[in-house]
Amino acid sequence: MSAPAYFIFHTTIHDREAIAPYLAQALATVAAFGGRRLLMGGPATAVEGKAPEGLTVILEFPSKATAEAWYASPAYQAILGIRLGASKSDAYLVEAVG
């Protein structure tokens, strides 16, 4: 059995109007791959180190391979440019261990 994997995004939105179509479609692309949104929140409060800026979004997928397939999927790639144009993001994929 494979371990779950998590896409973590730290996003600062520059243009709320421009990102609206992305927000309206993104979760459907996640669900199509068995994923779900665990968190959409912000701002973060630093307890140690430096807190990320903007919103934090955490998506959970059944496996790293599934998460990578979602990100590379035609449906997600079709809307990715909207997010990239309307916001600044750091995004990374983490596989659960243990």
Side-chain angles (χ1 to χ4, degrees):
M1 183 170 185
S2 56
Y6 303 87
F7 252 106
I8 302 170
F9 298 86
H10 299 293
T11 302
T12 302
I13 298 171
H14 315 309
D15 187 336
R16 292 197 179 276
E17 186 175 321
I19 205 166
Y22 171 87
L23 295 174
Q25 298 173 64
L27 284 181
T29 69
V30 170
F33 284 82
R36 65 186 181 121
R37 183 175 66 198
L38 293 181
L39 171 75
M40 182 170 179
T45 301
V47 176
E48 296 181 17
K50 182 181 175 189
E53 295 181 15
L55 297 172
T56 298
V57 177
I58 301 175
L59 305 176
E60 180 184 51
F61 289 89
S63 68
K64 183 178 180 187
T66 305
E68 291 170 333
W70 162 74
Y71 192 85
S73 71
Y76 187 67
Q77 289 296 307
I79 62 171
L80 176 58
I82 298 170
R83 179 174 61 81
L84 296 176
S87 67
K88 177 186 173 289
S89 298
D90 292 316
Y92 45 97
L93 179 58
V94 179
E95 187 174 23
V97 296

